[in-house]
Amino acid sequence: MSSIPHDHATGHAEEPPHAHDDHAHGPHGGIMRWVTTTNHKDIGTLYLCFSLIMFFVGGIMALTIRAELFEPGLQIVHPEFFNSMTTLHGLIMIFGAIMPAAVGFANWMIPMLIGAPDMAFARMNNWSFWLLPPAVILLGVSFFVPGGAAAGGWTLYPPLSTQAGMGMDLTIFAIHIMGASSIMGSINIITTILNLRAPGMTLMKMPLFCWTWLITAYLLVAVMPVLAGAVTMLLTDRHFGTTFFNAAGGGDPVLFQHVFWFFGHPEVYILILPAFGIISSIIPTFARKPLFGYASMVYAVAGIAILSFIVWAHHMFTVGMPAAGLLFFMYATMLIAVPTGVKVFNWLATMWKGEMTFEAPMLFAIGFLFLFTLGGFTGLVLAITPVDIQLQDTYYVVAHFHYVMVAGSLFAFFGGTYYWIPKWTGTMYDERLGKLHFWGSMIFFNITFFPMHFLGLAGMPRRIPDYAQQFADWNMVASIGALGFGLSQLIFLYAVIKCIRGDGAKAPAKPWDGGDTLEWTLPSPPPYHTFETPPVIR
């Protein structure tokens, strides 16, 4: 096998000595393999499968919301249940679908990209995954307890959350468990990247995906305890007589918003930075050029992460902050557009005069670029304080959020799946299905979420089960789009299942002729234990 250039500047990776084929210490058989596994590939697979299931669960909730909003009046569900749907849809999509997907990619790819034998803390890795199923079971059970599931919006603002029934306690417990899982996963990723890189792989030679995850992991370790603190204060307000968020006892509901968004804004970047890393892997491969401005990309990611800590109150422009606070948070928010713009420019410059081909991963990467940039612009609109005061809590915010989360994170994860699934399964995906999935997702995504900008500008508030007649037409369009978008995801499911079953062409070690990172030096699928002898990076 030919040696494959890796270093972004000069060197390349020598051919690694492959793992031994004797599986004396290979996987267990049957279900116990998955319960007890400490192998990073198995755990990555568990995370990705879990994320896919949660994606469809959250998607069914979204379709329930859109079905109710298909026309004015109350059709399908009670308003209380509708509020639970909006709350649980948000929590499950963020903590159950997008974050576990990102951690799944990290588990599968980081050891292979840096030439490590496995993750640093293999048993903790297993534990951090197996905390997630009990957490989502708690969320699911909350529908069946007296008072129903949490219904305060995914942000869980008091007083709604302090007055809610037992479902809120189950939600708080679930968030604690998922937070613990995130922190353990992050510590593992940081230790793996800093200590287990192959000889010769300096930090500035790492693929950008490793950089985005290293920075994301630091963000997670910094902000998950803040969320834990916020929901613990909620819990003591609910059951132990404290009044952190109760004005009658000297507390302040706005305090919760400050603490929550100090977690919540870095969280938005936690969800998008791994996606940036995936896009930075795909575009150079299909443009057949090295990534433009590698070092500036690293600094831009770090800049976004640092700035994310000083912009949180742009979610709170209407709570009565002093003018100096409004101005500070407005300018700080606009400043984040600069490193983000650097990244977008570098991706475009990478494609400039490249020998591009448009397989499914590249289509999703370009779709990501276009729609994420659009979502970034609506974010800048919302950063302007007087405009935001008008658009606060309208469907404009819903449109903005979904353009950066769905067209951002989710599209990148779809692209990353098509990019690496030949490596994971040893089978090429069906290109026709991949393209069908892309165009279905792209068209129906815009039919669903673009009209929400118009609804928001016209003043339709979010999180309401009923609305005035003047909003009827665009809501109907959005609901039809949502159904189409949901059905398009079944194509993705079918394409993935085909690969897992080995239904397709056998994947070569290097299915893409532009790839120059270490994982393409391994056979497809890679052996159970990857780099028993570390490769040498020159």
Side-chain angles (χ1 to χ4, degrees), residues 295-487:
S296 64
M297 289 289 259
V298 173
Y299 298 135
V301 178
I304 289 171
I306 292 160
L307 288 172
S308 74
F309 283 103
I310 59 162
V311 298
W312 78 88
H314 66 209
H315 299 268
M316 301 166 54
F317 281 154
T318 54
V319 303
M321 276 193 291
L326 296 174
L327 279 171
F328 170 80
F329 285 107
M330 175 167 85
Y331 292 139
T333 304
M334 290 178 172
L335 197 58
I336 266 196
V338 177
T340 312
V342 168
K343 303 185 76 59
V344 172
F345 173 80
N346 284 10
W347 287 321
L348 291 172
T350 304
M351 293 194 281
W352 178 250
K353 293 193 174 172
E355 295 172 26
M356 287 205 288
T357 51
F358 299 99
E359 289 87 347
M362 188 61 164
L363 287 174
F364 273 106
I366 293 170
F368 165 94
L369 257 178
F370 175 63
L371 296 176
F372 176 78
T373 305
L374 204 65
F377 276 124
T378 55
L380 273 176
V381 171
L382 291 169
I384 302 165
T385 309
V387 177
D388 182 82
I389 287 168
Q390 287 295 309
L391 296 175
Q392 166 81 10
D393 264 333
T394 66
Y395 260 73
Y396 193 89
V397 179
V398 179
H400 157 70
F401 187 76
H402 286 82
Y403 264 82
V404 288
M405 284 295 96
V406 182
S409 299
L410 194 64
F411 271 36
F413 294 159
F414 286 149
T417 303
Y418 288 122
Y419 182 60
W420 280 311
I421 206 166
K423 178 57 63 187
W424 297 341
T425 61
T427 306
M428 290 304 288
Y429 66 89
D430 185 327
E431 187 64 56
R432 201 179 73 252
L433 287 176
K435 287 186 169 151
L436 197 62
H437 174 222
F438 169 73
W439 286 111
S441 298
M442 184 78 174
I443 291 163
F444 285 117
F445 170 82
N446 284 295
I447 293 173
T448 307
F449 293 106
F450 204 79
M452 292 184 187
H453 294 104
F454 308 146
L455 290 168
L457 289 166
M460 178 174 164
R462 62 180 174 171
R463 298 181 187 154
I464 52 168
D466 187 13
Y467 53 85
Q469 186 63 43
Q470 77 236 38
F471 304 130
D473 296 347
W474 285 125
N475 267 299
M476 188 175 280
V477 170
S479 291
I480 292 166
L483 182 64
F485 186 76
L487 293 173

Side-chain angles (χ1 to χ4, degrees), residues 15 29 83 104 121 186 204 215 263 300 329 346 372 391 403 419:
E15 183 195 339
N83 291 344
F121 303 116
S186 302
M204 291 309 274
I215 290 166
F263 146 81
F329 285 107
N346 284 10
F372 176 78
L391 296 175
Y403 264 82
Y419 182 60

